[in-house]
Amino acid sequence: MSLAQILQQTGVIDSMARELNIDEQTARAGAGALLPAIVAGMGRSSTSGGGSDPLGGLGGLAGAVLGGSGGGGGLLDMVLGQQPTPTQPGNDILGNIFGSKDVSRSVAGEVAAVTGLDEGLLKRMLPILAMAVVGYMTRQASEGAPASQSGGLGGILGSIVGGLARR
């Protein structure tokens, strides 16, 4: 199953559409266009860290965002909650995976040019999507098979990218 399908099934797309006051189709289109950049950035950040992370790169990313509290799966709960999503954790994730706000802005601009979606809307989607992706993947890695058996973050990201390529 692709990450886009997972986000749809978990309610992330509905939640994001409601929060951003857009229709579900627009939320799905924006998410589908932004996800490859988020996933690629996560892949780059996970391979540059090194060390022995039992979650194959996810633990370090979630720990950096959450100050080592180990609650990376809670990021998904924040996105799905009834309260507005606090976007600072998402911006922190984007900072970790892209390195600067300029890269995030550039991603939003490029996706807007390709999709015709509003760049400002895409900028607001990015931190929410980043939180949902890291939250979902952290939860799956900590509840499921050990990352060493599933190929770590690289294995998870590979299956996601494969799923996106088949869309």
Side-chain angles (χ1 to χ4, degrees):
M1 182 180 310
S2 76
L3 182 57
Q5 292 169 321
I6 290 167
L7 294 179
Q8 181 73 37
Q9 287 183 356
T10 58
V12 168
I13 300 297
D14 290 337
S15 180
M16 187 170 57
R18 192 172 43 255
E19 183 164 340
L20 298 176
N21 199 28
I22 57 176
D23 61 87
E24 186 180 327
Q25 182 177 352
T26 300
R28 190 173 26 253
L34 291 170
L35 283 172
I38 292 171
V39 170
M42 289 174 65
R44 281 189 301 276
S45 72
S46 72
T47 57
S48 64
S52 60
D53 179 355
L55 296 178
L58 285 173
L61 182 57
V65 171
L66 298 170
S69 67
L75 292 168
L76 181 59
D77 295 332
M78 288 182 209
V79 171
L80 296 174
Q82 294 301 311
Q83 300 299 318
T85 303
T87 56
Q88 189 57 51
N91 286 324
D92 291 344
I93 292 167
L94 293 172
N96 273 306
I97 64 175
F98 292 144
S100 77
K101 287 184 180 184
D102 291 337
V103 176
S104 291
R105 290 180 188 123
S106 175
V107 166
E110 290 176 25
V111 169
V114 170
T115 64
L117 294 173
D118 179 67
E119 184 175 345
L121 173 66
L122 294 168
K123 286 178 185 177
R124 291 173 41 218
M125 278 185 179
L126 267 169
I128 296 170
L129 281 173
M131 289 173 65
V133 170
V134 171
Y136 175 80
M137 290 175 28
T138 303
R139 182 173 290 164
Q140 290 304 111
S142 64
E143 290 177 358
S148 59
Q149 292 177 4
S150 64
L153 181 57
I156 295 169
L157 293 177
S159 68
I160 291 168
V161 172
L164 290 171
R166 291 189 291 270
R167 287 187 61 209

